[in-house]
Amino acid sequence: MGDARSHNSVQKLCTQVNDMLFPEQTYESFSSRLEGPAPTDSRKRLGTFLGVFVPCSLSMFSAILFLRMGYIVGFAGVIEALFMFTIAFFIVMVTILSVSAISTNGAIEGGGAYFMISRSIGPEFGGAMGIIFFFAQLFASTVYLLGLVDALVDSFGNEGGNFAKALPEEGYWKTLYGTALLFLMLFVVIIGAEVFAKTNLIIFVIVLITLVVDIVNFFVQEPITDLHPPSDNTLLNSTVNLTYTSWSTDTFDENRNRNYTIDYTTMRGTSFQVVFAVLFTGYTGVFAGSNMSADLKNASKSIPVGTIAACTFSYIIYVFLVIFIAFTSSRLLLQNDFLFLEHICTVPGITTAGTLCVTFSASLSTFIGASRILEALALDDILGQLLVLVKKGRSRQGNPWVAVVVSWIFIQALLFVGSLNLIAPFVTTFSLLTYAVVNMACLALDLAGAPNFRPTFCYFNKYTSLIGFVSSIVMAFIVNPVYASTSFAISVMLFIFIMFRTPGSSWGYISQALIFHQVRKYLLMLDSRKDHVKFWRPSILYICKNPRSCIPALSFLNDMKKGGLYVIGTNICGDISETGFVKKIEEWNQAWLSLVHMLEIKAFVETTVDQNIRNGALNLIMTAGLGGMTPNTVVIGFYDSAESTDFLNSPDGIPSRKQSFMRLRRTTTTVERGSVDNFPEIMPHGRQPRIDVNSYIGVMRDAMALRKNLCILRHFHKLKRPGPGMSHSQFVDVWPIPPHNTNTHIEDDTTSMFLLQLGCILHMVGSWGNTKLRVLATSPSTEMGSTEKVQLQGILKILRIEAEVHTVVVPDMFTNKTDIERYQSLNHTIKENSSNTVVTFLYLPRPPDDIADNEEYLEKLTVLTDDLPPILLVRGLSKVTTSEL
């Protein structure tokens, strides 16, 4: 009975886990995952040996094993050749460790290396490197195909064929042979990966037999002294004898050191970089298995095991061949007959058969890999409409035949280059760049410390990834700095292009994890006790009522923050325990994030829930920010019942951003567009605000009690941002004198200094620099006005603020008048001087201590600001300027 209950509990737990991880699948499919992977895709039929080890081994042997071993040893010598193979093996092995870690951290689908990179570090890096790797596979396939053609012509060419002189060699005949072989590959690839795997097994057996025969041949073959250069070698006379010495220490001594001379196939000089570029094409097959990920039964298991085994196997073979060749073949033979292994073999035709098979298989493998990467790029919509046909072109069995045809067209075009050694540097550079990014992806995942990065393959760490990344980059620039720089530049351009055109993905972005990691570290280092006025900048908390009517203010405050913190705070009135209320909050936050993205402002969004609006505002003021990054300035809207404008559906209110705004509306995703439309409608004209006067002024008092500077916005629906093509001067006006007192020494008045600082900051930002900054003050007489002007100019000079200073004479402003009348007079004065003013900064009087005076205080503010341009009423509580160094 207990066992039954335990089983039911486990089954229930498994069902819940399945619902979270695989919502489209049943519990039965999940339980099959626990018992072992049971693929549902009909393409997933290949195991570790056929799906990974065989294609990887054949790709690593490729054109190097039988066609270029003499080239490598002949020019580089034994010491440098072994050094080159060891470097290549080391780079590939540490890359395999990274590949294995990534591939065992989750389910892998089609696309191989591209899929792993894009899902690990996001679509921008992944897409850019996927395109680069796609072309690397195309170049590699072309290299192997040209090696196949070379072997074919060497065996059956009408000038120097070893077995029959049947095939023409001159002109474009080699390109024609390559085209015919490529068409045969196209037929095999279109049929499907399973046929390719069965073909590969046969080829692998033939290559192993050939390899055994050639190794045995080194021990049984007698010296040969009458070998002649091939017909395409124009550096030596065809009558010159080339020597196979068999085992000889003198031959080994001759081949010990490097001897870089002319390559007879390209008629160009050789060097370490050139030879390494050719050699490394034998190590570009490390992804041959992972490129088949869509066809593997268990990719997470097969890729690490098969790739490591294939890489180790090929390295051992290469090391033995270098030593055997160095002891038995003269340098003259190695440098002037790259196909010498066939010519010294005791079994005629066996080396040719192995060469034809291994190059055919390697070219076919990279051909398939390229098509699978292109298919994955299309399915991920990385290049949009450019790959729409590739996305749709799949057979009933899931074979991406359109991607295959497109890859075939590219390889066909590359065949016209005609030289294996000329294309090899491209293959090496692109492959090294891809290896670098794979290592970078694994390094980034490890450094980010994300708990969900826990691969089952544990034989790696951040140091192996770092070494792999650095060594790949260094070797890419050593091989060919021009190609490496070009590849890097192309990658950057692709990254930028994809970043701007690709919609957001659900894969996750490693950049977000790294940013979180670094931001947390630096936030802990940011100590508010070390703040200094010299480095002060406005950090704004804008408590917003309704985003529909606040869009101009949102953009304006984004300009005014001058690199400071910008938090948009909102309070939702309600009870969080209500049914559906949490979902409402989530939708509200998503809508805000979408709006912030659409307006291109740099702000954080904070939401509180409280039935009492004042309490909600107080929560925002107290909790906004994090650590040492907290707002120092609170901004609120004005208390009135004026008609509001719905800027979200009518961007005419912000003319300078109208086209950009409409463009953003068109390009924003449907999800974002829908969430923004969920904002509540604006308050009808004449309807009283939801907050009462006492609570509103209470918010002001709360902000000041918490030592926050305070700003109140009014008339921002009138805001017309300045532009470069203004027909007349426009002004940003600052009135730093308090309306109730003209005897204030503004250098001692924190609010006056704050006003000047905000005006100066706004004038420093973007298009606001096209305006003129004016500092204005009222005076009862001309004489006093002149004195005030001189004082203001002196203060501005000390503060290093460039502004025009104007004093306005109002003789009877402060005599025999009530407060309301004085405010009306000041309002009239400001209005007369604001015909071309874009925005005005005014001194905000201190809120009354007695709650009974709140109505009168608000009436004064209303009278002061009626019918004016956009107004900021400002109250400063902290020192924001200094004249000290």
Side-chain angles (χ1 to χ4, degrees):
M1 192 71 161
D3 293 341
R5 284 197 300 267
S6 176
H7 174 74
N8 292 335
S9 299
V10 172
Q11 182 171 343
K12 183 178 180 181
L13 175 61
C14 290
T15 304
Q16 292 173 344
V17 174
N18 175 70
D19 291 339
M20 289 189 293
L21 301 180
F22 313 104
E24 297 84 7
Q25 300 180 20
T26 62
Y27 164 73
E28 286 73 17
S29 66
F30 176 74
S31 62
S32 68
R33 289 174 180 266
L34 299 179
E35 296 167 3
T40 57
D41 192 337
S42 60
R43 293 166 58 183
K44 295 181 179 291
R45 302 177 181 176
L46 303 179
T48 302
F49 183 74
L50 282 180
V52 181
F53 180 81
V54 170
C56 275
S57 297
L58 292 176
S59 294
M60 289 181 181
F61 288 148
S62 61
I64 303 301
L65 185 63
F66 301 120
L67 294 179
R68 289 298 182 267
M69 287 303 297
Y71 171 91
I72 295 167
V73 178
F75 289 118
V78 179
I79 296 175
E80 281 198 12
L82 290 175
F83 178 64
M84 288 180 186
F85 275 112
T86 302
I87 291 177
F89 174 73
F90 176 76
I91 292 174
V92 169
M93 278 303 295
V94 292
T95 302
I96 291 173
L97 297 181
S98 297
V99 170
S100 300
I102 296 173
S103 65
T104 58
N105 193 52
I108 300 178
E109 299 176 12
Y114 158 71
F115 183 88
M116 289 186 286
I117 295 173
S118 62
R119 268 48 175 188
S120 298
I121 56 179
E124 296 92 348
F125 276 111
M129 294 316 304
I131 295 170
I132 291 292
F133 191 48
F134 167 68
F135 282 101
Q137 295 289 284
L138 294 178
F139 279 113
S141 184
T142 307
V143 164
Y144 305 149
L145 185 56
L146 289 172
L148 174 59
V149 172
D150 285 348
L152 194 67
V153 170
D154 184 73
S155 300
F156 304 103
N158 59 3
E159 296 182 12
N162 297 322
F163 301 106
K165 301 184 183 299
L167 300 177
E169 300 181 38
E170 62 280 353
Y172 285 97
W173 280 102
K174 286 187 177 182
T175 303
L176 182 61
Y177 302 148
T179 300
L181 291 168
L182 182 59
F183 193 80
L184 175 62
M185 293 179 190
L186 175 66
F187 176 75
V188 174
V189 177
I190 285 182
I191 290 176
E194 190 175 2
V195 174
F196 162 71
K198 292 177 180 178
T199 305
N200 253 2
L201 180 59
I202 298 172
I203 291 174
F204 186 69
V205 172
I206 295 173
V207 170
L208 284 182
I209 294 172
T210 304
L211 192 56
V212 171
V213 170
D214 281 342
I215 290 174
V216 171
N217 186 74
F218 284 117
F219 294 93
V220 300
Q221 178 63 272
E222 297 294 326
I224 305 174
T225 58
D226 58 349
L227 297 171
H228 299 289
S231 59
D232 59 342
N233 186 344
T234 58
L235 295 178
L236 290 181
N237 192 292
S238 59
T239 59
V240 173
N241 290 329
L242 307 177
T243 306
Y244 173 79
T245 64
S246 190
W247 289 84
S248 168
T249 55
D250 291 337
T251 303
F252 182 83
D253 290 338
E254 179 189 7
N255 291 323
R256 179 184 292 114
N257 299 315
R258 62 186 179 183
N259 182 22
Y260 294 115
T261 57
I262 303 298
D263 174 1
Y264 72 83
T265 63
T266 63
M267 301 304 292
R268 297 182 180 183
T270 56
S271 63
F272 176 92
Q273 294 93 326
V274 172
V275 174
F276 183 83
V278 174
L279 174 151
F280 200 81
T281 58
Y283 280 94
T284 57
V286 65
F287 291 127
S290 59
N291 287 342
M292 300 293 294
S293 57
D295 304 285
L296 297 174
K297 293 178 182 178
N298 188 348
S300 296
K301 175 185 176 183
S302 297
I303 290 175
V305 174
T307 309
I308 291 174
C311 185
T312 305
F313 174 67
S314 63
Y315 175 71
I316 293 171
I317 296 298
Y318 280 136
V319 168
F320 277 109
L321 283 178
V322 167
I323 295 172
F324 292 168
I325 289 171
F327 269 106
T328 59
S329 305
S330 67
R331 173 153 268 164
L332 193 64
L333 171 64
L334 298 179
Q335 291 182 341
N336 291 280
D337 185 4
F338 299 154
L339 304 177
F340 77 100
L341 287 176
E342 170 61 38
H343 304 154
I344 66 172
C345 188
T346 54
V347 182
I350 187 67
T351 304
T352 298
T355 303
L356 295 175
C357 287
V358 75
T359 50
F360 181 83
S361 173
S363 183
L364 190 61
S365 176
T366 47
F367 184 3
I368 289 180
S371 66
R372 295 300 189 266
I373 294 170
L374 185 61
E375 177 197 18
L377 289 168
L379 292 175
D380 289 339
D381 197 29
I382 294 298
L383 296 177
Q385 295 300 313
L386 290 176
L387 298 179
V388 65
L389 292 178
V390 175
K391 188 175 183 179
K392 297 179 179 179
R394 304 178 72 182
S395 66
R396 293 180 179 178
Q397 291 74 32
N399 196 25
W401 65 270
V402 174
V404 170
V405 172
V406 172
S407 303
W408 171 72
I409 293 172
F410 275 110
I411 297 172
Q412 179 61 61
L414 290 172
L415 275 176
F416 288 98
V417 176
S419 173
L420 183 156
N421 291 358
L422 285 178
I423 299 179
F426 286 99
V427 180
T428 298
T429 303
F430 284 176
S431 298
L432 283 168
L433 195 59
T434 305
Y435 294 173
V437 175
V438 170
N439 284 295
M440 182 187 75
C442 190
L443 175 64
L445 288 168
D446 196 18
L447 290 177
N452 281 319
F453 181 62
R454 44 177 184 269
T456 56
F457 183 88
C458 56
Y459 300 103
F460 83 100
N461 56 46
K462 59 185 177 184
Y463 300 108
T464 60
S465 301
L466 179 61
I467 291 171
F469 172 74
V470 173
S471 58
S472 297
I473 293 293
V474 169
M475 287 310 301
F477 278 90
I478 288 177
V479 167
N480 195 307
V482 176
Y483 290 171
S485 301
T486 303
S487 302
F488 183 78
I490 292 173
S491 300
V492 171
M493 289 188 289
L494 287 171
F495 172 83
I496 295 172
F497 170 76
I498 295 170
M499 180 177 64
F500 277 101
R501 77 143 308 276
T502 303
S505 74
S506 59
W507 311 336
Y509 296 79
I510 188 61
S511 57
Q512 293 296 302
L514 291 173
I515 290 171
F516 177 88
H517 183 270
Q518 292 301 107
V519 167
R520 181 191 64 85
K521 181 172 70 174
Y522 287 119
L523 272 176
L524 291 171
M525 296 171 61
L526 188 61
D527 190 347
S528 59
R529 295 171 297 179
K530 298 179 181 178
D531 288 347
H532 195 280
V533 66
K534 286 191 296 185
F535 309 110
W536 183 92
R537 66 185 68 209
S539 291
I540 296 170
L541 167 62
Y542 177 32
I543 302 178
C544 180
K545 178 177 62 175
N546 189 328
R548 290 184 179 274
S549 59
C550 297
I551 286 176
L554 290 170
S555 298
F556 172 81
L557 294 174
N558 184 64
D559 293 337
M560 200 176 72
K561 72 180 188 302
K562 186 57 178 173
L565 178 66
Y566 185 14
V567 179
I568 302 170
T570 60
N571 178 72
I572 300 178
C573 293
D575 186 349
I576 201 169
S577 62
E578 294 177 7
T579 304
F581 198 81
V582 173
K583 183 178 180 182
K584 178 183 177 181
I585 296 173
E586 293 173 352
E587 292 174 349
W588 178 263
N589 287 332
Q590 289 301 316
W592 263 112
L593 293 174
S594 298
L595 182 62
V596 166
H597 171 72
M598 290 170 63
L599 295 177
E600 296 180 295
I601 60 178
K602 299 176 181 178
F604 300 98
V605 177
E606 294 283 352
T607 302
T608 60
V609 178
D610 201 297
Q611 295 282 12
N612 185 289
I613 296 178
R614 179 181 177 181
N615 290 342
L618 179 60
N619 290 336
L620 287 169
I621 296 170
M622 294 182 66
T623 61
L626 185 64
M629 285 190 68
T630 56
N632 54 38
T633 303
V634 175
V635 181
I636 60 176
F638 196 78
Y639 184 92
D640 60 18
S641 57
E643 183 176 5
S644 300
T645 303
D646 187 353
F647 290 99
L648 190 59
N649 291 316
S650 178
D652 296 330
I654 33 178
S656 62
R657 289 197 173 185
K658 178 178 178 181
Q659 293 182 353
S660 174
F661 189 85
M662 294 304 292
R663 173 180 59 80
L664 284 167
R665 283 172 62 90
R666 289 194 299 269
T667 58
T668 304
T669 64
T670 304
V671 174
E672 286 185 341
R673 185 60 243 161
S675 61
V676 169
D677 287 337
N678 288 333
F679 280 128
E681 296 299 322
I682 60 175
M683 184 175 66
H685 176 54
R687 180 178 172 182
Q688 288 300 315
R690 290 181 301 168
I691 185 174
D692 61 81
V693 174
N694 292 333
S695 296
Y696 175 77
I697 296 181
V699 172
M700 298 169 59
R701 291 197 190 96
D702 292 341
M704 295 171 62
L706 292 169
R707 306 299 300 168
K708 306 292 184 184
N709 302 308
L710 180 64
C711 296
I712 300 177
L713 306 178
R714 192 178 188 194
H715 303 314
F716 266 78
H717 63 283
K718 300 179 183 179
L719 180 66
K720 298 185 183 298
R721 295 170 58 86
M726 298 181 299
S727 59
H728 53 78
S729 296
Q730 292 183 307
F731 303 106
V732 172
D733 290 348
V734 179
W735 296 77
I737 307 297
H740 56 279
N741 186 4
T742 59
N743 298 319
T744 300
H745 295 282
I746 68 171
E747 65 271 22
D748 300 323
D749 190 316
T750 304
T751 296
S752 297
M753 293 294 99
F754 188 46
L755 278 161
L756 293 174
Q757 182 79 317
L758 289 182
C760 176
I761 288 172
L762 183 64
H763 191 253
M764 296 167 64
V765 176
S767 61
W768 293 96
N770 298 319
T771 63
K772 292 182 179 180
L773 179 61
R774 297 193 303 181
V775 177
L776 302 100
T778 58
S779 178
S781 66
T782 304
E783 293 77 11
M784 292 183 65
S786 299
T787 303
E788 287 184 4
K789 183 174 182 178
V790 172
Q791 290 176 345
L792 284 170
Q793 288 174 336
I795 292 170
L796 293 176
K797 183 176 180 180
I798 293 172
L799 296 177
R800 305 168 307 284
I801 297 176
E802 295 184 7
E804 299 178 4
V805 178
H806 298 272
T807 54
V808 182
V809 178
V810 187
D812 58 345
M813 180 175 173
F814 294 95
T815 59
N816 301 321
K817 286 187 177 182
T818 64
D819 287 346
I820 294 295
E821 290 174 336
R822 284 200 296 269
Y823 278 91
Q824 287 175 337
S825 178
L826 181 56
N827 172 268
H828 180 71
T829 301
I830 295 172
K831 194 181 304 181
E832 286 182 340
N833 291 273
S834 300
S835 57
N836 293 323
T837 299
V838 183
V839 66
T840 300
F841 293 84
L842 288 181
Y843 196 112
L844 175 66
R846 178 181 177 83
D849 294 326
D850 190 349
I851 193 172
D853 297 328
N854 285 347
E855 293 281 356
E856 182 183 355
Y857 175 77
L858 188 59
E859 183 184 1
K860 291 177 183 178
L861 297 185
T862 303
V863 169
L864 175 63
T865 57
D866 270 345
D867 298 323
L868 291 181
I871 293 289
L872 265 85
L873 292 164
V874 176
R875 185 80 189 179
L877 276 83
S878 58
K879 188 178 180 182
V880 297
T881 60
T882 180
S883 58
E884 300 175 358
L885 282 177

